[in-house]
Amino acid sequence: MLSLFIVVVFFISILIGVVIGHYKIFPFYYLYKYKNFIAVKLKKRVKNEKIGTFNESPLDIFFTESLPTTQLRYNAITDENSLENILDKMSIPSQYFFNAYKNIELVSFDQNGEICKLVYKVNDLTQEAFFYSNGKKSNDVILTIPGSGENHSYDIVTNNIRTYHNTFGTPSALLEESTHFVLIKPNEDYLSIHNNEYKLSYNALYKTLLNKGSSYSVKYLIDAMALVKYCKTNEQKVILNGLSQGAEACLYVSLQAEPYMTIMSSGYSIFNSILDYGSFDQIIISNIRNVYSPEYIKSMIKQQSTKYILTYGKEEQCIYGYEAKNNLTQNYYKDLQNVYFYSHEYAHIMPVKELNKMIKEFYV
């Protein structure tokens, strides 16, 4: 009898787990949150064991990040010249960023399966931008810009729960009939720079580009602008969508590209103009806080037809938790008719149910 009881309890537990995971009901959010916390701790331990070891080349020390199992564009790096060639091609002078959109010249767009390639020029430089696509053809386009963390692009477009972006998924109101592009950042997923075992160290990549007068952030932000320009040229209605760093990126792209709608989940606070907390993996562009001051951003948004939706979580530990409870940024923008705010009860997530309602209300 005891063994039968254990078997029954086991299968009931599995059934309950499936229901919680599928419908994302209590306590799904908390289980997901602590699962990610444990995974990050284990990953850091493995990485620390790797750092400081040499094999056959000094290059080995710079390849420390997890290599994705998705299709890869680049062959394995075996010498300094091949690595330098890739880095040079992605180096865009930081000063190009502030007037990038109007200086973008579109060259070509190709799609091979789920991977899209956009070739463009900005000032005197020819660049290549890459995106994953859900394969749908529509006049309504969503461009999701991933937040910080590695190898999230493919998981976002396939709605894989492994990425924190999909705690509750992408708003279904956006995806029902729309084309969904997900930006592939340099050294992420398909664009991983690798040695067949590991990806190039993020810190090495960020610092190298900064010391070349460029910025990792500049590259992927201008890539995103180029796709918005391509879609608008084809008379497609574009919605930008981002969580965390991706939300901040959506703001900077929108101020120049002026899409139809921009959804920013936990990614922007006017307080960041006073004190900007973050590490190398956050947006770093020389002089951006002076140029894109709260006053300038407000004046630009006021001139636009773009609808902005900003959300914050009351359980967040950083400035966005403060925003959710005290409405710092909301109060600053309260006189703008095209900016909307929502505070939810969770932490660093995209509040999908509420966003679905807002999107359907505002989307014309």
Side-chain angles (χ1 to χ4, degrees):
M1 289 296 294
L2 179 60
S3 59
L4 178 61
F5 176 76
I6 293 173
V7 171
V8 171
V9 170
F10 175 74
F11 280 104
I12 291 176
S13 299
I14 292 177
L15 179 61
I16 293 173
V18 170
V19 172
I20 291 173
H22 180 75
Y23 293 101
K24 295 181 171 60
I25 59 178
F26 180 84
F28 168 82
Y29 169 73
Y30 298 97
L31 293 173
Y32 182 83
K33 178 179 178 181
Y34 290 117
K35 185 269 291 183
N36 282 350
F37 174 79
I38 294 171
V40 168
K41 293 294 184 182
L42 291 174
K43 183 177 178 182
K44 285 183 177 179
R45 186 178 70 182
V46 172
K47 185 184 292 186
N48 288 338
E49 291 173 355
K50 168 72 170 65
I51 293 174
T53 60
F54 284 89
N55 291 321
E56 297 179 356
S57 167
L59 282 176
D60 290 339
I61 194 63
F62 297 104
F63 289 87
T64 61
E65 310 293 342
S66 301
L67 187 63
T69 57
T70 52
Q71 179 183 352
L72 301 175
R73 171 172 172 76
Y74 300 119
N75 294 325
I77 298 298
T78 57
D79 59 78
E80 293 86 346
N81 289 337
S82 57
L83 176 59
E84 190 171 21
N85 184 50
I86 293 173
L87 297 179
D88 285 344
K89 286 183 177 180
M90 71 172 65
S91 296
I92 302 176
S94 292
Q95 63 267 26
Y96 285 14
F97 167 75
F98 296 100
N99 293 295
Y101 186 78
K102 69 179 183 181
N103 292 324
I104 289 172
E105 178 185 343
L106 302 171
V107 177
S108 64
F109 180 89
D110 298 295
Q111 183 165 353
N112 184 7
E114 62 197 3
I115 296 173
C116 303
K117 174 183 176 181
L118 175 62
V119 181
Y120 67 93
K121 291 183 179 180
V122 56
N123 293 25
D124 55 339
L125 296 178
T126 299
Q127 293 290 309
E128 296 177 341
F130 291 86
F131 310 84
Y132 288 117
S133 169
N134 65 354
K136 293 182 180 180
K137 303 296 182 183
S138 172
N139 286 328
D140 298 321
V141 173
I142 306 110
L143 169 58
T144 296
I145 302 179
S148 57
E150 58 187 60
N151 305 324
H152 288 295
S153 303
Y154 188 74
D155 284 343
I156 292 172
V157 78
T158 57
N159 200 29
N160 193 310
I161 200 171
R162 287 179 301 185
T163 172
Y164 68 92
H165 297 78
N166 290 335
T167 303
F168 292 109
T170 301
S172 58
L174 296 178
L175 298 177
E176 289 170 354
E177 301 295 336
S178 303
T179 301
H180 187 198
F181 293 111
V182 180
L183 174 69
I184 308 175
K185 296 178 179 178
N187 201 34
E188 298 290 1
D189 290 301
Y190 179 66
L191 296 180
S192 295
I193 305 167
H194 64 96
N195 65 356
N196 266 340
E197 186 179 4
Y198 293 95
K199 289 199 318 182
L200 183 64
S201 159
Y202 289 110
N203 284 341
L205 177 59
Y206 301 150
K207 183 175 182 181
T208 298
L209 291 176
L210 286 170
N211 285 337
K212 286 177 174 285
S214 181
S215 160
Y216 180 89
S217 310
V218 164
K219 167 58 179 167
Y220 83 74
L221 288 171
I222 297 180
D223 283 352
M225 289 183 199
L227 183 68
V228 177
K229 192 164 196 173
Y230 170 79
C231 294
K232 291 180 70 173
T233 300
N234 292 321
E235 299 184 351
Q236 292 172 302
K237 190 180 290 184
V238 182
I239 296 177
L240 288 184
N241 176 51
L243 167 64
S244 192
Q245 181 197 131
E248 184 181 9
C250 285
L251 172 64
Y252 297 142
V253 173
S254 297
L255 291 174
Q256 295 192 42
E258 197 172 349
Y260 179 80
M261 183 184 294
T262 297
I263 300 171
M264 301 160 54
S265 299
S266 301
Y268 173 70
S269 169
I270 60 171
F271 188 79
N272 291 338
S273 64
I274 300 172
L275 194 63
D276 204 354
Y277 178 84
S279 56
F280 261 149
D281 64 345
Q282 300 303 307
I283 292 177
I284 301 176
I285 302 173
S286 178
N287 208 38
I288 192 167
R289 292 301 185 207
N290 290 328
V291 177
Y292 284 171
S293 65
E295 296 80 10
Y296 177 79
I297 292 173
K298 187 175 183 179
S299 68
M300 289 294 293
I301 291 176
K302 188 174 183 179
Q303 299 173 40
Q304 294 183 342
S305 61
T306 302
K307 299 175 177 65
Y308 289 83
I309 300 176
L310 289 80
T311 71
Y312 304 101
K314 294 178 181 177
E315 282 196 15
E316 300 201 55
Q317 301 301 310
C318 60
I319 185 63
Y320 305 125
Y322 182 88
E323 285 282 3
K325 298 168 186 175
N326 297 280
N327 303 321
L328 180 67
T329 300
Q330 180 175 349
N331 290 335
Y332 184 78
Y333 289 104
K334 63 183 178 182
D335 57 327
L336 296 184
Q337 302 301 307
N338 57 332
V339 183
Y340 310 90
F341 291 85
Y342 179 80
S343 295
H344 53 82
E345 300 300 322
Y346 299 106
H348 208 57
I349 60 100
M350 191 177 294
V352 170
K353 289 183 180 180
E354 293 76 13
L355 284 173
N356 280 333
K357 294 177 184 177
M358 298 176 77
I359 292 164
K360 289 177 180 178
E361 179 182 351
F362 302 142
Y363 199 80
V364 179

mmCIF file of all heavy atoms in Angstrom, residues 320-351:
data_model
loop_
_atom_site.group_PDB
_atom_site.id
_atom_site.type_symbol
_atom_site.label_atom_id
_atom_site.label_comp_id
_atom_site.label_asym_id
_atom_site.label_seq_id
_atom_site.Cartn_x
_atom_site.Cartn_y
_atom_site.Cartn_z
ATOM 1 N N TYR A 320 13.839 50.408 -10.478
ATOM 2 C CA TYR A 320 12.522 50.184 -11.066
ATOM 3 C C TYR A 320 11.484 49.792 -10.011
ATOM 4 O O TYR A 320 10.294 50.039 -10.191
ATOM 5 C CB TYR A 320 12.620 49.152 -12.187
ATOM 6 C CG TYR A 320 13.645 49.565 -13.223
ATOM 7 C CD1 TYR A 320 14.701 48.735 -13.577
ATOM 8 C CD2 TYR A 320 13.576 50.830 -13.810
ATOM 9 C CE1 TYR A 320 15.657 49.148 -14.490
ATOM 10 C CE2 TYR A 320 14.527 51.252 -14.724
ATOM 11 C CZ TYR A 320 15.563 50.404 -15.064
ATOM 12 O OH TYR A 320 16.517 50.818 -15.960
ATOM 13 N N GLY A 321 11.925 49.184 -8.915
ATOM 14 C CA GLY A 321 11.025 48.950 -7.795
ATOM 15 C C GLY A 321 10.586 50.262 -7.176
ATOM 16 O O GLY A 321 9.412 50.442 -6.801
ATOM 17 N N TYR A 322 11.524 51.187 -7.066
ATOM 18 C CA TYR A 322 11.202 52.531 -6.558
ATOM 19 C C TYR A 322 10.226 53.225 -7.507
ATOM 20 O O TYR A 322 9.274 53.891 -7.054
ATOM 21 C CB TYR A 322 12.479 53.348 -6.413
ATOM 22 C CG TYR A 322 12.261 54.733 -5.842
ATOM 23 C CD1 TYR A 322 12.274 54.943 -4.468
ATOM 24 C CD2 TYR A 322 12.029 55.827 -6.674
ATOM 25 C CE1 TYR A 322 12.062 56.205 -3.931
ATOM 26 C CE2 TYR A 322 11.818 57.090 -6.158
ATOM 27 C CZ TYR A 322 11.833 57.278 -4.790
ATOM 28 O OH TYR A 322 11.618 58.529 -4.277
ATOM 29 N N GLU A 323 10.450 53.079 -8.814
ATOM 30 C CA GLU A 323 9.555 53.681 -9.799
ATOM 31 C C GLU A 323 8.138 53.149 -9.643
ATOM 32 O O GLU A 323 7.164 53.904 -9.714
ATOM 33 C CB GLU A 323 10.070 53.381 -11.223
ATOM 34 C CG GLU A 323 11.277 54.179 -11.648
ATOM 35 C CD GLU A 323 10.930 55.609 -12.048
ATOM 36 O OE1 GLU A 323 9.752 55.997 -11.946
ATOM 37 O OE2 GLU A 323 11.846 56.339 -12.464
ATOM 38 N N ALA A 324 8.017 51.835 -9.434
ATOM 39 C CA ALA A 324 6.699 51.222 -9.330
ATOM 40 C C ALA A 324 5.911 51.756 -8.143
ATOM 41 O O ALA A 324 4.682 51.861 -8.198
ATOM 42 C CB ALA A 324 6.848 49.699 -9.222
ATOM 43 N N LYS A 325 6.630 52.105 -7.082
ATOM 44 C CA LYS A 325 5.962 52.541 -5.855
ATOM 45 C C LYS A 325 5.837 54.061 -5.734
ATOM 46 O O LYS A 325 4.960 54.558 -5.013
ATOM 47 C CB LYS A 325 6.724 52.007 -4.647
ATOM 48 C CG LYS A 325 6.769 50.481 -4.592
ATOM 49 C CD LYS A 325 7.761 49.984 -3.552
ATOM 50 C CE LYS A 325 7.906 48.473 -3.599
ATOM 51 N NZ LYS A 325 8.956 47.973 -2.686
ATOM 52 N N ASN A 326 6.697 54.804 -6.439
ATOM 53 C CA ASN A 326 6.743 56.261 -6.243
ATOM 54 C C ASN A 326 6.498 57.079 -7.507
ATOM 55 O O ASN A 326 6.429 58.310 -7.444
ATOM 56 C CB ASN A 326 8.089 56.657 -5.633
ATOM 57 C CG ASN A 326 8.285 56.062 -4.253
ATOM 58 O OD1 ASN A 326 7.772 56.558 -3.267
ATOM 59 N ND2 ASN A 326 9.037 54.959 -4.184
ATOM 60 N N ASN A 327 6.419 56.425 -8.669
ATOM 61 C CA ASN A 327 6.029 57.094 -9.922
ATOM 62 C C ASN A 327 6.923 58.272 -10.290
ATOM 63 O O ASN A 327 6.446 59.308 -10.774
ATOM 64 C CB ASN A 327 4.577 57.566 -9.837
ATOM 65 C CG ASN A 327 3.615 56.442 -9.536
ATOM 66 O OD1 ASN A 327 3.774 55.328 -10.039
ATOM 67 N ND2 ASN A 327 2.630 56.718 -8.706
ATOM 68 N N LEU A 328 8.228 58.125 -10.062
ATOM 69 C CA LEU A 328 9.161 59.206 -10.340
ATOM 70 C C LEU A 328 9.110 59.628 -11.812
ATOM 71 O O LEU A 328 8.896 60.800 -12.138
ATOM 72 C CB LEU A 328 10.588 58.770 -9.960
ATOM 73 C CG LEU A 328 11.702 59.789 -10.175
ATOM 74 C CD1 LEU A 328 11.525 60.967 -9.217
ATOM 75 C CD2 LEU A 328 13.070 59.134 -9.938
ATOM 76 N N THR A 329 9.307 58.678 -12.704
ATOM 77 C CA THR A 329 9.313 58.981 -14.136
ATOM 78 C C THR A 329 7.910 59.301 -14.637
ATOM 79 O O THR A 329 7.719 60.188 -15.481
ATOM 80 C CB THR A 329 9.912 57.800 -14.925
ATOM 81 O OG1 THR A 329 11.265 57.582 -14.486
ATOM 82 C CG2 THR A 329 9.925 58.077 -16.416
ATOM 83 N N GLN A 330 6.916 58.600 -14.119
ATOM 84 C CA GLN A 330 5.538 58.846 -14.524
ATOM 85 C C GLN A 330 5.122 60.288 -14.229
ATOM 86 O O GLN A 330 4.490 60.947 -15.059
ATOM 87 C CB GLN A 330 4.598 57.877 -13.809
ATOM 88 C CG GLN A 330 3.129 58.076 -14.182
ATOM 89 C CD GLN A 330 2.230 57.033 -13.557
ATOM 90 O OE1 GLN A 330 2.697 56.047 -13.006
ATOM 91 N NE2 GLN A 330 0.932 57.243 -13.634
ATOM 92 N N ASN A 331 5.490 60.778 -13.075
ATOM 93 C CA ASN A 331 5.139 62.155 -12.726
ATOM 94 C C ASN A 331 5.842 63.160 -13.631
ATOM 95 O O ASN A 331 5.285 64.216 -13.958
ATOM 96 C CB ASN A 331 5.490 62.432 -11.263
ATOM 97 C CG ASN A 331 4.580 61.698 -10.298
ATOM 98 O OD1 ASN A 331 3.446 61.362 -10.634
ATOM 99 N ND2 ASN A 331 5.072 61.419 -9.101
ATOM 100 N N TYR A 332 7.054 62.839 -14.050
ATOM 101 C CA TYR A 332 7.808 63.748 -14.911
ATOM 102 C C TYR A 332 7.159 63.852 -16.298
ATOM 103 O O TYR A 332 7.174 64.910 -16.921
ATOM 104 C CB TYR A 332 9.252 63.275 -15.041
ATOM 105 C CG TYR A 332 10.134 64.207 -15.830
ATOM 106 C CD1 TYR A 332 10.635 65.377 -15.264
ATOM 107 C CD2 TYR A 332 10.459 63.927 -17.158
ATOM 108 C CE1 TYR A 332 11.428 66.251 -15.992
ATOM 109 C CE2 TYR A 332 11.258 64.789 -17.897
ATOM 110 C CZ TYR A 332 11.741 65.939 -17.305
ATOM 111 O OH TYR A 332 12.529 66.794 -18.036
ATOM 112 N N TYR A 333 6.589 62.724 -16.764
ATOM 113 C CA TYR A 333 6.005 62.691 -18.111
ATOM 114 C C TYR A 333 4.479 62.834 -18.098
ATOM 115 O O TYR A 333 3.828 62.587 -19.115
ATOM 116 C CB TYR A 333 6.376 61.380 -18.812
ATOM 117 C CG TYR A 333 7.828 61.288 -19.220
ATOM 118 C CD1 TYR A 333 8.720 60.501 -18.502
ATOM 119 C CD2 TYR A 333 8.299 61.982 -20.324
ATOM 120 C CE1 TYR A 333 10.060 60.412 -18.870
ATOM 121 C CE2 TYR A 333 9.626 61.904 -20.704
ATOM 122 C CZ TYR A 333 10.503 61.120 -19.965
ATOM 123 O OH TYR A 333 11.822 61.046 -20.337
ATOM 124 N N LYS A 334 3.895 63.233 -16.992
ATOM 125 C CA LYS A 334 2.446 63.185 -16.841
ATOM 126 C C LYS A 334 1.682 64.073 -17.823
ATOM 127 O O LYS A 334 0.505 63.824 -18.100
ATOM 128 C CB LYS A 334 2.060 63.547 -15.404
ATOM 129 C CG LYS A 334 2.434 64.970 -14.999
ATOM 130 C CD LYS A 334 2.076 65.219 -13.528
ATOM 131 C CE LYS A 334 2.484 66.628 -13.090
ATOM 132 N NZ LYS A 334 2.174 66.857 -11.649
ATOM 133 N N ASP A 335 2.327 65.096 -18.366
ATOM 134 C CA ASP A 335 1.629 65.991 -19.283
ATOM 135 C C ASP A 335 1.718 65.536 -20.736
ATOM 136 O O ASP A 335 1.172 66.206 -21.625
ATOM 137 C CB ASP A 335 2.175 67.414 -19.156
ATOM 138 C CG ASP A 335 3.675 67.496 -19.406
ATOM 139 O OD1 ASP A 335 4.382 66.522 -19.072
ATOM 140 O OD2 ASP A 335 4.137 68.529 -19.932
ATOM 141 N N LEU A 336 2.392 64.403 -21.003
ATOM 142 C CA LEU A 336 2.496 63.889 -22.372
ATOM 143 C C LEU A 336 1.331 62.953 -22.659
ATOM 144 O O LEU A 336 1.032 62.054 -21.874
ATOM 145 C CB LEU A 336 3.822 63.154 -22.582
ATOM 146 C CG LEU A 336 5.092 64.004 -22.448
ATOM 147 C CD1 LEU A 336 6.324 63.168 -22.789
ATOM 148 C CD2 LEU A 336 5.030 65.239 -23.343
ATOM 149 N N GLN A 337 0.696 63.132 -23.797
ATOM 150 C CA GLN A 337 -0.500 62.366 -24.144
ATOM 151 C C GLN A 337 -0.193 61.012 -24.771
ATOM 152 O O GLN A 337 -1.101 60.180 -24.904
ATOM 153 C CB GLN A 337 -1.373 63.184 -25.112
ATOM 154 C CG GLN A 337 -1.806 64.532 -24.568
ATOM 155 C CD GLN A 337 -2.596 64.396 -23.278
ATOM 156 O OE1 GLN A 337 -3.568 63.655 -23.217
ATOM 157 N NE2 GLN A 337 -2.183 65.112 -22.233
ATOM 158 N N ASN A 338 1.043 60.774 -25.143
ATOM 159 C CA ASN A 338 1.387 59.529 -25.834
ATOM 160 C C ASN A 338 2.288 58.619 -24.996
ATOM 161 O O ASN A 338 2.947 57.721 -25.519
ATOM 162 C CB ASN A 338 2.066 59.819 -27.177
ATOM 163 C CG ASN A 338 3.311 60.682 -27.052
ATOM 164 O OD1 ASN A 338 3.435 61.484 -26.120
ATOM 165 N ND2 ASN A 338 4.241 60.521 -27.993
ATOM 166 N N VAL A 339 2.325 58.826 -23.681
ATOM 167 C CA VAL A 339 3.124 57.997 -22.774
ATOM 168 C C VAL A 339 2.204 57.427 -21.700
ATOM 169 O O VAL A 339 1.457 58.161 -21.058
ATOM 170 C CB VAL A 339 4.257 58.804 -22.115
ATOM 171 C CG1 VAL A 339 5.122 57.906 -21.239
ATOM 172 C CG2 VAL A 339 5.122 59.472 -23.176
ATOM 173 N N TYR A 340 2.293 56.092 -21.517
ATOM 174 C CA TYR A 340 1.409 55.394 -20.586
ATOM 175 C C TYR A 340 2.252 54.547 -19.623
ATOM 176 O O TYR A 340 3.272 53.959 -20.021
ATOM 177 C CB TYR A 340 0.440 54.493 -21.357
ATOM 178 C CG TYR A 340 -0.259 55.204 -22.486
ATOM 179 C CD1 TYR A 340 0.304 55.225 -23.765
ATOM 180 C CD2 TYR A 340 -1.465 55.868 -22.285
ATOM 181 C CE1 TYR A 340 -0.324 55.884 -24.817
ATOM 182 C CE2 TYR A 340 -2.100 56.533 -23.319
ATOM 183 C CZ TYR A 340 -1.520 56.538 -24.584
ATOM 184 O OH TYR A 340 -2.139 57.196 -25.613
ATOM 185 N N PHE A 341 1.801 54.449 -18.372
ATOM 186 C CA PHE A 341 2.561 53.740 -17.338
ATOM 187 C C PHE A 341 1.678 52.686 -16.670
ATOM 188 O O PHE A 341 0.458 52.853 -16.551
ATOM 189 C CB PHE A 341 3.060 54.723 -16.276
ATOM 190 C CG PHE A 341 4.130 55.663 -16.767
ATOM 191 C CD1 PHE A 341 3.786 56.836 -17.425
ATOM 192 C CD2 PHE A 341 5.474 55.371 -16.570
ATOM 193 C CE1 PHE A 341 4.761 57.705 -17.885
ATOM 194 C CE2 PHE A 341 6.447 56.239 -17.022
ATOM 195 C CZ PHE A 341 6.099 57.401 -17.680
ATOM 196 N N TYR A 342 2.365 51.616 -16.211
ATOM 197 C CA TYR A 342 1.660 50.587 -15.448
ATOM 198 C C TYR A 342 2.638 49.949 -14.458
ATOM 199 O O TYR A 342 3.754 49.575 -14.832
ATOM 200 C CB TYR A 342 1.092 49.498 -16.367
ATOM 201 C CG TYR A 342 0.379 48.408 -15.597
ATOM 202 C CD1 TYR A 342 -0.912 48.590 -15.138
ATOM 203 C CD2 TYR A 342 1.026 47.210 -15.308
ATOM 204 C CE1 TYR A 342 -1.565 47.608 -14.404
ATOM 205 C CE2 TYR A 342 0.383 46.220 -14.578
ATOM 206 C CZ TYR A 342 -0.921 46.419 -14.134
ATOM 207 O OH TYR A 342 -1.556 45.453 -13.412
ATOM 208 N N SER A 343 2.214 49.832 -13.198
ATOM 209 C CA SER A 343 3.018 49.164 -12.172
ATOM 210 C C SER A 343 2.325 47.866 -11.775
ATOM 211 O O SER A 343 1.118 47.858 -11.510
ATOM 212 C CB SER A 343 3.175 50.059 -10.940
ATOM 213 O OG SER A 343 3.919 51.224 -11.269
ATOM 214 N N HIS A 344 3.099 46.769 -11.718
ATOM 215 C CA HIS A 344 2.540 45.453 -11.412
ATOM 216 C C HIS A 344 3.133 44.910 -10.116
ATOM 217 O O HIS A 344 4.022 45.515 -9.515
ATOM 218 C CB HIS A 344 2.789 44.489 -12.576
ATOM 219 C CG HIS A 344 4.221 44.390 -13.011
ATOM 220 N ND1 HIS A 344 5.139 43.590 -12.376
ATOM 221 C CD2 HIS A 344 4.908 45.017 -14.015
ATOM 222 C CE1 HIS A 344 6.316 43.709 -12.964
ATOM 223 N NE2 HIS A 344 6.210 44.578 -13.961
ATOM 224 N N GLU A 345 2.650 43.759 -9.696
ATOM 225 C CA GLU A 345 3.010 43.206 -8.404
ATOM 226 C C GLU A 345 4.238 42.303 -8.446
ATOM 227 O O GLU A 345 4.656 41.789 -7.404
ATOM 228 C CB GLU A 345 1.825 42.403 -7.836
ATOM 229 C CG GLU A 345 0.562 43.219 -7.640
ATOM 230 C CD GLU A 345 0.764 44.381 -6.674
ATOM 231 O OE1 GLU A 345 1.506 44.198 -5.672
ATOM 232 O OE2 GLU A 345 0.190 45.468 -6.921
ATOM 233 N N TYR A 346 4.817 42.096 -9.627
ATOM 234 C CA TYR A 346 5.931 41.161 -9.768
ATOM 235 C C TYR A 346 7.268 41.901 -9.742
ATOM 236 O O TYR A 346 7.348 43.068 -9.381
ATOM 237 C CB TYR A 346 5.767 40.347 -11.052
ATOM 238 C CG TYR A 346 4.505 39.532 -11.076
ATOM 239 C CD1 TYR A 346 3.421 39.908 -11.864
ATOM 240 C CD2 TYR A 346 4.386 38.379 -10.311
ATOM 241 C CE1 TYR A 346 2.255 39.162 -11.891
ATOM 242 C CE2 TYR A 346 3.229 37.609 -10.338
ATOM 243 C CZ TYR A 346 2.163 38.017 -11.128
ATOM 244 O OH TYR A 346 1.019 37.266 -11.151
ATOM 245 N N ALA A 347 8.317 41.194 -10.172
ATOM 246 C CA ALA A 347 9.644 41.791 -10.186
ATOM 247 C C ALA A 347 10.031 42.147 -11.616
ATOM 248 O O ALA A 347 9.281 42.845 -12.309
ATOM 249 C CB ALA A 347 10.657 40.830 -9.548
ATOM 250 N N HIS A 348 11.156 41.638 -12.087
ATOM 251 C CA HIS A 348 11.743 42.060 -13.361
ATOM 252 C C HIS A 348 11.173 41.237 -14.511
ATOM 253 O O HIS A 348 11.841 40.373 -15.083
ATOM 254 C CB HIS A 348 13.261 41.888 -13.262
ATOM 255 C CG HIS A 348 14.044 42.823 -14.131
ATOM 256 N ND1 HIS A 348 13.934 44.189 -14.064
ATOM 257 C CD2 HIS A 348 14.968 42.587 -15.094
ATOM 258 C CE1 HIS A 348 14.764 44.753 -14.924
ATOM 259 N NE2 HIS A 348 15.393 43.797 -15.572
ATOM 260 N N ILE A 349 9.923 41.523 -14.856
ATOM 261 C CA ILE A 349 9.252 40.749 -15.906
ATOM 262 C C ILE A 349 8.455 41.677 -16.817
ATOM 263 O O ILE A 349 8.307 42.867 -16.561
ATOM 264 C CB ILE A 349 8.314 39.676 -15.311
ATOM 265 C CG1 ILE A 349 7.221 40.316 -14.423
ATOM 266 C CG2 ILE A 349 9.090 38.653 -14.486
ATOM 267 C CD1 ILE A 349 5.905 40.488 -15.042
ATOM 268 N N MET A 350 7.931 41.077 -17.883
ATOM 269 C CA MET A 350 7.029 41.770 -18.786
ATOM 270 C C MET A 350 5.595 41.378 -18.393
ATOM 271 O O MET A 350 5.243 40.204 -18.499
ATOM 272 C CB MET A 350 7.330 41.352 -20.231
ATOM 273 C CG MET A 350 6.662 42.168 -21.294
ATOM 274 S SD MET A 350 7.184 41.620 -22.947
ATOM 275 C CE MET A 350 8.922 42.081 -22.901
ATOM 276 N N PRO A 351 4.776 42.299 -17.919
ATOM 277 C CA PRO A 351 3.423 41.965 -17.461
ATOM 278 C C PRO A 351 2.476 41.733 -18.635
ATOM 279 O O PRO A 351 1.743 42.631 -19.062
ATOM 280 C CB PRO A 351 3.017 43.189 -16.647
ATOM 281 C CG PRO A 351 3.752 44.323 -17.292
ATOM 282 C CD PRO A 351 5.061 43.743 -17.771
#
